[in-house]
């Protein structure tokens, strides 16, 4: 009935298009690709952005974060990896105990699709996500270290055992269900270690930017501290941002401005995007 953002000039927004491909194990995957306005859509620096949840999904529509990144010259790739909702029971159920494995393979396969289509420059790919997407970021850097030039972990899970240890009391009724989907901390300790980026920091080659909120009850600050300790030991280059007055994601405008400003600088340093001369401001 009305414009939700009348200050946004639609003619300057980057187009978002649907794509699909067949995963390495034969599943049909769907996602969206946002291409910088005015570019030819070829050989671009790429940001792959796995969504949080993980039982959620990406959909087509205006995404201010992706428009920001596209405006800076990056293509942005979304993928509804297995476990994403809205694609049927089998697609959802196939993510059980696949954190860091087939769920991560779907993200990797999406990147390879973008490279094979000539959209992405294989030497300029970064992974960025929040919450579960932050986990996928750290898992991608640890388990496919040659694929990414950098990573941005926003309030992400880094240690699966810690995820259970720090669960709020209100989650107690969900703990059993989580154990079936992720892994049982009481009987599958080694399994959870295998899937936890904190135990594979020595495999990470790319620099990382990590941002957390000190008041986060969902993904506690321990996830940052454990990851920092592991990366310090492994000699991995990283930078951290912690806001004492934030929880699971930044809400205050000044903190959001700082976060996206640091993100912009971090990406420019490590991906060196092409000149913006042919991209609408």
């Amino acid at each position: 009935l009305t414009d939700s953002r009348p200050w946004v000039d639609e003619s300057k927004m980057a187009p978002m298009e649907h794509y699909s491909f067949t995963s390495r194990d034969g599943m049909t995957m769907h996602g969206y690709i946002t291409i910088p306005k005015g570019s030819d859509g070829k050989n671009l620096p790429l940001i792959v952005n796995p969504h949080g949840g993980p039982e959620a999904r990406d959909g087509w529509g205006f995404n201010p974060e992706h428009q920001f990144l596209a405006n800076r010259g990056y293509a942005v790739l979304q993928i509804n990896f297995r476990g994403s909702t809205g694609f049927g029971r089998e697609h959802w159920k196939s993510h059980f105990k696949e954190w860091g494995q087939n769920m991560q393979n779907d993200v990797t396969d999406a990147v390879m699709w973008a490279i094979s289509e000539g959209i992405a420059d294989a030497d300029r790919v970064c992974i960025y996500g929040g919450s579960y997407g932050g986990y996928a970021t750290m898992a991608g850097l640890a388990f496919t270290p040659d694929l990414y030039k950098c990573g941005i972990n926003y309030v992400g899970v880094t240690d699966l055992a810690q995820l259970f240890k720090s669960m709020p009391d209100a989650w107690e009724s969900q703990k059993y269900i989580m154990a079936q989907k992720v892994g049982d901390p009481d009987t599958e300790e080694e399994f959870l270690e295998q899937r936890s980026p904190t135990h594979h920091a020595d495999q990470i080659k790319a620099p990382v930017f990590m941002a957390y909120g000190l008041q986060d009850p969902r993904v506690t600050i321990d996830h940052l501290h454990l990851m920092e300790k592991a990366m310090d030991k492994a000699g991995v280059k990283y930078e951290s941002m912690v806001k004492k007055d934030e929880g699971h994601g930044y809400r205050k405008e000044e903190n959001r401005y700082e976060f996206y400003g640091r993100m912009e600088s971090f990406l420019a340093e490590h991906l060196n995007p092409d000149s913006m001369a042919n991209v609408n401001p």
Side-chain angles (χ1 to χ4, degrees):
L1 298 177
T2 62
D3 286 337
S4 63
R5 296 175 178 85
W7 56 87
V8 174
D9 185 345
E10 293 180 30
S11 68
K12 294 181 178 179
M13 296 298 101
M16 176 189 285
E17 302 292 342
H18 167 266
Y19 72 92
S20 63
F21 67 90
T22 302
S23 70
R24 66 186 69 184
D25 60 346
M27 292 184 66
T28 300
M29 294 291 160
H30 297 272
Y32 301 92
I33 181 80
T34 299
I35 301 295
K37 184 81 171 180
S39 78
D40 61 4
K42 298 297 181 182
N43 203 40
L44 295 166
L46 179 75
I47 313 296
V48 57
N49 181 214
H51 63 72
E55 294 177 59
R57 64 160 292 164
D58 286 321
W60 186 92
F62 178 74
N63 186 313
E65 201 172 59
H66 294 180
Q67 292 298 328
F68 163 69
L69 292 169
N71 179 265
R72 274 31 178 199
Y74 306 103
V76 185
L77 187 72
Q78 298 167 280
I79 173 65
N80 284 308
F81 45 79
R82 67 195 69 205
S84 300
T85 54
F87 295 93
R89 180 176 176 81
E90 290 307 311
H91 186 278
W92 166 75
K93 194 174 180 181
S94 64
H95 87 283
F96 283 24
K97 295 191 177 181
E98 291 295 343
W99 284 45
Q101 296 296 305
N102 278 326
M103 292 171 74
Q104 198 66 36
N105 290 343
D106 295 339
V107 177
T108 302
D109 290 352
V111 173
M112 299 310 296
W113 171 86
I115 293 171
S116 68
E117 290 291 313
I119 299 170
D121 179 350
D123 293 324
R124 293 186 296 166
V125 181
C126 183
I127 183 168
Y128 156 58
S131 196
Y132 173 82
Y135 167 82
T137 292
M138 300 311 300
L141 295 173
F143 303 144
T144 51
D146 295 321
L147 185 60
Y148 300 109
K149 288 296 179 287
C150 61
I152 301 173
N153 163 18
Y154 183 40
V155 298
V157 173
T158 64
D159 189 282
L160 298 185
Q162 183 62 37
L163 181 63
F164 286 93
K165 290 176 184 177
S166 58
M167 276 187 179
D169 292 341
W171 282 24
E172 190 61 34
S173 62
Q174 296 296 315
K175 191 172 183 179
Y176 172 79
I177 297 173
M178 284 281 291
Q180 305 312 302
K181 293 177 180 178
V182 181
D184 193 322
D186 296 325
T187 61
E188 297 177 297
E189 182 178 357
E190 184 177 348
F191 175 84
L192 294 180
E193 287 182 0
Q194 292 172 353
R195 311 296 176 90
S196 296
T198 50
H199 292 272
H200 302 279
D202 59 334
Q203 298 181 62
I204 298 175
K205 299 179 180 180
V208 191
F209 171 39
M210 302 184 290
Y212 284 79
L214 191 60
Q215 305 301 321
D216 191 344
R218 185 179 299 266
V219 180
T220 63
I221 197 67
D222 302 287
H223 288 271
L224 172 63
H225 296 329
L226 287 169
M227 198 72 238
E228 286 178 324
K229 183 178 180 180
M231 290 195 293
D232 284 338
K233 184 177 180 180
V236 177
K237 181 181 178 181
Y238 69 90
E239 55 185 274
S240 303
M241 176 179 178
V242 177
K243 290 300 177 182
K244 296 180 181 179
D245 53 354
E246 296 283 9
H248 195 58
Y250 296 165
R251 299 294 182 264
K252 293 188 176 182
E253 188 174 78
E254 62 269 27
N255 294 335
R256 292 170 63 83
Y257 270 109
E258 183 182 347
F259 171 66
Y260 287 113
R262 290 185 64 173
M263 175 193 290
E264 181 178 12
S265 298
F266 181 82
L267 292 172
E269 177 184 357
H270 298 294
L271 290 189
N272 298 314
D274 292 334
S275 169
M276 295 295 294
N278 64 338
V279 180
N280 289 332

